[in-house]
Amino acid sequence: MKLGAYTACLHDRPIEQALDLLAELGLTSAEVNTGGFLPAPHVPIDAILSSEDAAKDYLGVFAERGIELTGLNCNGNPLHPDPEVGIAHAEDLRRSIEVASRLGVKRIVTMSGLPAGEASGERVNWVVNPWNTALLESIEYQWEVLVPFWKDIQARAADADVKIAIELHPHNTVFNPATFLRLAEAIDSTHVGVEMDPSHLFWQGMDPVAVVEHLGEWIFHAAAKDIKIYEDSVKINGVLDERFTRIPAEDDPLPVGGRYTVTKWPANPTWEFVALGQGHDNAYWTRFLQALHAVDPDIAVNIEHEDQHFDRVEGLRLAADNLNAAYAAAGI
């Protein structure tokens, strides 16, 4: 098992400095962004695609620090009905497969994508409770869009000998085990599986350990990411909390494709992302690592830091300490 971190939270510094920090924290694995919602400052994509020497030099930066590049991350919405988002993110994913092939990286993390609810739709439409046929028709249309796209990605990944790991993320057509298994069957998957990010499962009411055991060898890659659920707030508003607001343009909200940006969380959320160990204790993370190890002893588990209560380095350090402690306790 390889323990590491996704370097997106360290995009304010060169890749060399980001990897130096990971090595200092006792981590030996790294995952870097290659497009989608976020840019790719840690990967010279054009150089890698045009030069074998550039690819070797890039991998040398990791090897010098005793760190393995275990994954590329291209989370985005390749099925977004706005062409400024969907077309761009789809091309980023296809290009990431080429980059992975050049680098010998065997895992790409992404999302399934979410179309509009109908052919004429201009905005994404996530239906979570299709209690009537109008809503069911939206889901049926989305699968008509989803399956051909992913058949093509499956073929490209197989040709490149690269595994695509879909994050089970809300606001996507594939967001839980049932929707993933439906996709896997529809595309006769061999190279499209799951990235086990427990954070988005927790707030949906799932147990990530049970999901790992349920999906088994479909788990290709994993994230070490925690959430904290605020029970008093959940009692009032539930976990489907939509009290988010716009961030003023003058505050430079993070762009996520086209004209869209991230939004501001509620002041008293029902849940939020926290550093590993701040939402669930190390006994839980020990069981999580043991379950992953049973599926794949060589799986990479990379920290994704999005805890707004800690700065980037402090949050990564806390998560790394807890992840390393859970690994030691797991006896694997």
Side-chain angles (χ1 to χ4, degrees), residues 30 48 58 84 91 104-105 120 128 136 140 145 162 173 179 183 192 195 197 221 263 267 271 274 293 296 303 315 330:
I48 288 169
Y58 181 68
E84 289 190 19
E91 181 55 31
V105 175
S120 61
V128 296
L136 192 59
E140 290 168 346
V145 175
V162 171
T173 315
T179 49
L183 176 65
V192 175
E195 189 236 12
D197 181 338
H221 198 75
T263 52
W271 63 272
V274 294
H293 186 269
D296 178 4
I303 296 164

Side-chain angles (χ1 to χ4, degrees), residues 2-29:
K2 306 173 184 73
L3 306 183
Y6 174 35
T7 66
C9 65
L10 300 174
H11 278 181
D12 61 334
R13 64 199 71 196
I15 184 62
E16 293 85 356
Q17 292 182 18
L19 295 179
D20 285 340
L21 176 59
L22 267 56
E24 177 190 332
L25 298 178
L27 303 174
T28 59
S29 166

Side-chain angles (χ1 to χ4, degrees), residues 120-135:
S120 61
E122 298 181 354
R123 291 180 174 82
V124 295
N125 182 12
W126 189 46
V127 177
V128 296
N129 183 16
W131 68 273
N132 66 46
T133 53
L135 297 171

Side-chain angles (χ1 to χ4, degrees), residues 281-327:
D281 62 22
N282 268 23
Y284 185 88
W285 295 114
T286 297
R287 291 196 296 116
F288 180 68
L289 295 181
Q290 289 169 334
L292 290 172
H293 186 269
V295 169
D296 178 4
D298 295 322
I299 196 168
V301 184
N302 293 326
I303 296 164
E304 184 176 1
H305 172 57
E306 293 186 13
D307 190 331
Q308 300 302 310
H309 301 284
F310 299 96
D311 68 30
R312 298 170 184 181
V313 174
E314 182 184 22
L316 264 182
R317 188 178 304 279
L318 178 60
D321 287 346
N322 286 328
L323 183 61
N324 285 323
Y327 181 76

Side-chain angles (χ1 to χ4, degrees), residues 150-208:
W150 279 98
K151 281 185 175 179
D152 176 68
I153 295 299
Q154 153 69 26
R156 291 171 184 266
D159 287 344
D161 189 25
V162 171
K163 297 287 184 71
I164 309 295
I166 294 177
E167 181 176 348
L168 303 181
H169 194 297
H171 309 111
N172 280 270
T173 315
V174 173
F175 62 93
N176 63 9
T179 49
F180 167 73
L181 291 172
R182 178 180 176 182
L183 176 65
E185 181 178 4
I187 67 174
D188 194 19
S189 179
T190 58
H191 285 68
V192 175
V194 168
E195 189 236 12
M196 177 47 55
D197 181 338
S199 64
H200 296 287
L201 306 188
F202 281 132
W203 73 263
Q204 293 185 76
M206 294 180 241
D207 177 356

